[in-house]
């Protein structure tokens, strides 16, 4: 059983030569291999992956190669992650790659939200259209590949749900077994069912996400279990491809703003890293501003910047119905601070009511997403009000999870069960026009026609956006 | 408000000329337009769409054109349905097309099921990776396009869940309103939440699916509401692209067998129509056998063939936990009988226990699907036992719905709540090795390590397949 993850050297037709190394984001120390906790051996900070070959390539040739690969039926080319393998750490052999044809996610226009906000060029990059329904898959394909290459039989993660679903699927695909640590009673039924279906050993721990993560750190130090949390830098490498694919979809014209939900902050870190690497390489002429939006009840990054100038983490006791970002002690906060500063992005927070309304508005576009994704639209409105975003700028919202990840939220919203009690009278009044609960009727034509006529007289949801 | 759907003539750059017409599958009468109930004005039978231009094209040129479009960023080319528009009814203008970038679904190998069944070349075409999580999207993009072109403000369907989710999304995208009729208490929570999120007016009727469908027929005869059930022949045209895309993924080498779940039988009809058209056109040199698998409790087609030689429909009182195919009176039974006969496919039924086991096996591949999809793997085993399928033949299973469509089924399965009571002792014994319910633990390292060691000693699910 291996005790460390190494950047095994090698190359083969179709794969770039593996020349990557691990670099500490704190002290800058560089190493060929990483310990199981993915911490710097010198100073204990997080590692990132870098490769000197990445900025020595011809950008025009890369663009043409990546586009050409879209016509290929080869497994590596069909993956929206591995299609961009020139900017990823390369495994020793193509057969090591664990793929479920992740990536290739749509970039949608949002015509109704566009009219409502005045932002003419408004897009949603929907990572919830990945194989297990969240952005996690883009990173998991890379990390699972290196777990398998290193010979591990078990992989593990602590999770609010999406990571566990993704890890369990890729582990199953790779013939590895997976251990999931989730906070008891704090993850959605749907996400839990995914981990079970993909064959994971699922432990619901009587603690919160941060407690699960602490226990995982102890576990990987004493057992031959490979850690697949987002401090695993391979995951962030895979998640970089969100930005590569997005820019390709925009014909390499950078948007002015990319807005992303902030939970454990691995995604913002990955997107930021990709943008900086793309600029270095000459793939794009300028940087979009990358902004991070959190839920008010899980606003560790907001407070870290506001109260500590980004110098140290201000952790919080996280509470939000957007369970995918219910994280009080985000692992990648330093990486996120760095990319916010490098791209000039903003960091803001939105309320539970703003999240619920934005989610209904995205649904009314015919798209749908999980609650955490909707912070992006809610945040955009706030950034517009504050003048940080201008209506004539191009904006891309990153939707991170599928609508089907949390049906309970949707049902409770429409039934008026999300915000109840007298404390919420005002919120409920503002949300009522977005609600249309199911109607139970006898199977009778007149009853249906009456209901239809009543709805015909009412203004449809999206007119109120 | 329009009272009929016509094949409006027109063409524009990028779209083929619209020259299609409606043909009755019973008496063969041909018409330029169809009434709202999509029934033959002469004999009352179902209509299908045909176009004389479809078999006048050069197959090699089409293959090359379709592949080349994969490099395009144009909306019509990004759709896995409209990319094949030369074999679809053409709307008058490209702007009429309502698309959510449907299609483009993965073709997965099934290594574990392959080893377990002995079928070396075994694939799953996963239509559950469509935007709303089911195969319905491929048809809905075409039918919603023609609903909008005809000027309708309201669209409607009766549904066991997947159709309503898809229709609501495409209606929202098109700026139309949607009415959903579902059997009260008989659809999954997840599917209902989708219809609500996309803004549908949702009526839960105190009847079954067939009752909802009857009421819909009455409604469209008296109100300006466009019917989007699968008797709408535009839907079947879009669903044809499943077969086109599949064959392209197989480099146009036809598999020996395609196995599809049978509910309302629109999907099998559409796939069969596509196969016959591809053969006519010379896109493929021979026909795969198309086989339809039903749940034992909803086996109308099985009984129609067995008891009535396919001459008249034997309807049943449908009961199965695979809700997506809980249909006793399938609308497209005649079309399905025709394609079964034309391709030489089989029709068979599988038990609830066989469905549950097959679903767990597909999950253990890291893929996952809803229960109705799993009838294909369960059915394949039966067809192998009966000798209809040979292990050295190439087999494609069509998975129709996403795992997240029915989390309840998965949770109940793993908790042992699906088959309980003494009547099911034997079934439970056979299924127990596939179950791994979540474990609730204190956040304590020793407890987790003990659980891990215990699991390490147990044989993983997929070894028992």
């Amino acid at each position: 059983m291996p005790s460390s993850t190494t950047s095994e050297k090698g190359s083969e037709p179709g794969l770039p030569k593996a020349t990557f190394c691990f670099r500490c984001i704190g002290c800058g120390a560089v190493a060929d291999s990483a310990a199981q906790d993915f911490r710097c051996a010198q100073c204990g900070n997080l590692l990132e992956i870098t490769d000197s070959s990445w900025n020595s390539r011809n950008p025009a040739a890369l663009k043409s190669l990546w586009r050409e690969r879209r016509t290929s039926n080869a497994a590596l080319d069909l993956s929206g992650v591995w299609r961009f393998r020139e900017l990823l750490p390369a495994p020793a052999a193509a057969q090591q790659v664990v793929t479920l044809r992740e990536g290739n996610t749509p970039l949608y226009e949002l015509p109704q939200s566009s009219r409502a906000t005045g932002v003419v060029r408004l897009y949603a990059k929907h990572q919830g259209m990945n194989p297990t329904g969240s952005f996690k898959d883009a990173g998991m394909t890379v990390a699972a590949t290196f777990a398998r290459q290193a010979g591990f039989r078990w992989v593990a993660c602590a999770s609010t749900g999406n990571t566990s679903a993704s890890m369990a699927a890729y582990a199953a695909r790779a013939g590895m077994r997976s251990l999931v640590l989730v906070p008891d009673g704090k993850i959605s039924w749907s996400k839990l069912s995914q981990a079970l279906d993909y064959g994971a050993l699922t432990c619901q721990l009587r603690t919160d996400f941060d407690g699960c993560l602490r226990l995982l750190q102890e576990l990987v130090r004493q057992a031959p279990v490979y850690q697949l949390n987002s401090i695993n830098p391979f995951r962030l490498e895979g998640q970089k491809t969100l930005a590569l694919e997005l820019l390709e979809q925009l014909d390499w014209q950078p948007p002015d703003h990319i807005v992303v939900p902030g939970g454990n902050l691995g995604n913002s870190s990955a997107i930021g890293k990709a943008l900086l690497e793309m600029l270095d390489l000459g793939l794009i002429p300028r940087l979009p501003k990358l902004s991070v939006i959190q839920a008010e009840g899980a606003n560790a990054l907001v407070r870290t910047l506001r109260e500590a100038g980004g110098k140290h983490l201000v952790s919080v006791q996280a509470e939000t119905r957007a369970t995918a970002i219910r994280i009080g002690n985000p692992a990648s906060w330093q990486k996120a601070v760095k990319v916010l500063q490098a791209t000039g992005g903003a960091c803001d927070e939105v309320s539970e009511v703003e999240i619920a309304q934005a989610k209904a508005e995205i649904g009314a576009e015919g798209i749908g997403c999980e609650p955490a994704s909707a912070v992006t639209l809610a945040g955009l409105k706030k950034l517009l009000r504050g003048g940080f975003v201008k209506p004539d700028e191009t904006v891309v919202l990153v939707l991170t999870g599928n609508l089907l990840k949390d049906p309970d939220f949707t049902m409770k919203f429409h039934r008026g069960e999300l915000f109840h009690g007298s404390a919420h009278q005002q919120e409920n009044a503002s949300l009522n026009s977005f609600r249309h609960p199911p109607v139970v009727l006898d199977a009778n034509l007149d009853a249906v026609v009456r209901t239809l006529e009543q709805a015909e007289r009412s203004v449809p949801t999206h007119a109120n956006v």
Side-chain angles (χ1 to χ4, degrees), chain A:
Chain A
M1 191 70 60
S3 64
S4 75
T5 302
T6 59
S7 57
E8 294 182 22
K9 306 300 179 190
S11 74
E12 70 163 40
L15 271 183
K17 197 163 151 45
T19 52
F20 65 89
C21 60
F22 299 89
R23 181 173 57 198
C24 173
I25 63 162
C27 71
V30 169
D32 257 8
S33 66
Q36 277 213 62
D37 64 357
F38 293 108
R39 296 266 171 194
C40 174
Q42 317 295 321
C43 74
N45 215 319
L46 292 186
L47 302 176
E48 63 181 5
I49 288 173
T50 185
D51 190 319
S52 57
S53 77
W54 290 347
N55 59 6
S56 65
R57 297 181 182 272
N58 176 327
L62 279 182
K63 289 177 187 176
S64 155
L65 176 66
W66 292 338
R67 181 169 284 240
E68 191 51 34
R69 280 184 186 150
R70 286 159 63 174
T71 65
S72 162
N73 280 351
L76 250 62
D77 296 334
L78 286 168
S79 163
V81 172
W82 294 101
R83 188 158 66 82
F84 299 102
R85 52 192 174 271
E86 283 71 20
L87 299 191
L88 296 180
Q95 308 93 276
Q96 292 293 354
V97 171
V98 187
T99 174
L100 287 165
R101 241 199 58 175
E102 52 290 321
N104 302 306
T105 60
L107 182 69
Y108 289 123
E109 293 179 355
L110 297 175
Q112 297 172 27
S113 302
S114 194
R115 278 194 294 277
T117 59
V119 177
V120 181
R121 293 184 305 281
L122 177 59
Y123 302 94
K125 174 72 175 159
H126 205 329
Q127 295 300 95
M129 299 297 179
N130 268 296
T132 77
S134 87
F135 73 101
K136 308 283 186 180
D137 294 342
M140 208 56 79
T141 178
V142 177
T145 294
F146 282 91
R148 176 158 78 173
Q149 173 168 302
F152 281 92
R153 287 193 49 224
W154 279 90
V155 295
C157 72
S159 174
T160 60
N162 281 332
T163 301
S164 60
S166 181
M167 179 189 73
Y170 283 85
R173 201 70 191 159
M176 300 182 294
R177 300 196 66 189
S178 61
L179 169 70
V180 164
L181 307 179
V182 291
D184 186 31
K186 295 274 177 63
I187 84 162
S188 90
W189 194 247
S190 300
K191 296 176 187 181
L192 188 55
S193 81
Q194 288 182 290
L196 298 186
D197 196 68
Y198 301 136
L201 170 60
T202 308
C203 297
Q204 296 179 268
L205 301 187
R206 296 189 189 94
T207 178
D208 58 8
F209 170 77
D210 300 307
C212 291
L213 196 56
R214 273 194 303 275
L215 202 144
L216 179 68
Q217 303 311 314
E218 292 178 55
L219 180 69
V220 298
R221 273 195 291 271
Q222 78 166 57
V225 172
Y226 187 86
Q227 166 163 214
L228 281 176
N229 267 89
S230 68
I231 65 166
N232 180 319
F234 289 105
R235 283 193 40 207
L236 271 57
E237 289 304 302
Q239 286 172 212
K240 287 192 320 191
T241 57
L242 183 164
L244 288 160
E245 190 174 83
L246 167 64
L247 267 294
E248 188 189 56
Q249 288 169 316
L250 294 171
D251 292 322
W252 302 101
Q253 296 302 309
D256 298 293
H257 296 275
I258 298 175
V259 184
V260 62
N264 212 20
L265 301 173
N267 208 27
S268 17
S269 304
I271 298 170
K273 185 169 189 283
L275 294 174
L276 293 167
E277 288 173 1
M278 279 192 271
L279 184 71
D280 258 14
L281 184 49
L283 281 168
I284 50 172
R286 60 184 174 77
L287 285 177
K289 293 187 177 75
L290 180 67
S291 293
V292 177
I293 310 296
Q294 298 195 296
E296 276 177 2
N299 60 352
L301 184 64
V302 172
R303 294 188 56 186
T304 293
L305 290 163
R306 196 170 57 202
E307 296 166 24
K311 304 284 187 218
H312 63 85
L313 176 66
V314 179
S315 61
V316 301
Q317 191 70 37
E319 196 43 70
T320 168
R321 283 194 183 85
T323 52
I325 52 172
R326 181 155 58 188
I327 291 169
N329 193 22
S332 297
W333 70 273
Q334 278 169 294
K335 292 183 178 181
V337 167
K338 201 173 107 180
V339 301
L340 278 174
Q341 287 167 347
T343 69
C347 180
D348 216 326
E349 60 193 326
V350 293
S351 72
E352 297 293 296
V353 168
E354 288 171 317
I355 295 172
Q357 178 174 331
K359 176 166 149 31
E361 289 167 350
I362 294 168
E365 304 269 8
I367 297 176
C369 61
E370 72 166 314
S373 305
V375 302
T376 55
L377 179 58
L380 169 63
K381 294 181 200 172
K382 215 167 163 183
L383 297 177
L384 278 163
R385 287 195 298 271
F388 184 78
V389 175
K390 317 253 175 329
D392 63 349
E393 293 183 309
T394 302
V395 179
V396 177
L397 310 179
V398 177
L399 306 182
T400 45
N402 198 292
L403 170 59
L404 285 167
K405 286 283 195 170
D406 194 353
D408 267 9
F409 184 99
T410 306
M411 293 301 293
K412 284 185 175 147
F413 173 78
H414 286 290
R415 289 177 165 176
E417 295 163 11
L418 267 196
F419 306 99
H420 42 76
S422 55
H424 292 288
Q425 272 186 346
Q426 203 180 338
E427 289 91 332
N428 271 315
S430 78
L431 289 175
N432 270 341
S433 64
F434 294 92
R435 291 192 176 114
H436 32 83
V439 188
V440 180
L441 296 175
D442 283 330
N444 171 293
L445 184 61
D446 287 344
V448 172
V449 169
R450 270 197 308 276
T451 308
L452 191 69
E453 287 169 350
Q454 201 167 9
E456 177 70 42
R457 285 190 297 271
S458 78
V459 184
T461 298
H462 45 76
N464 298 69
V465 171

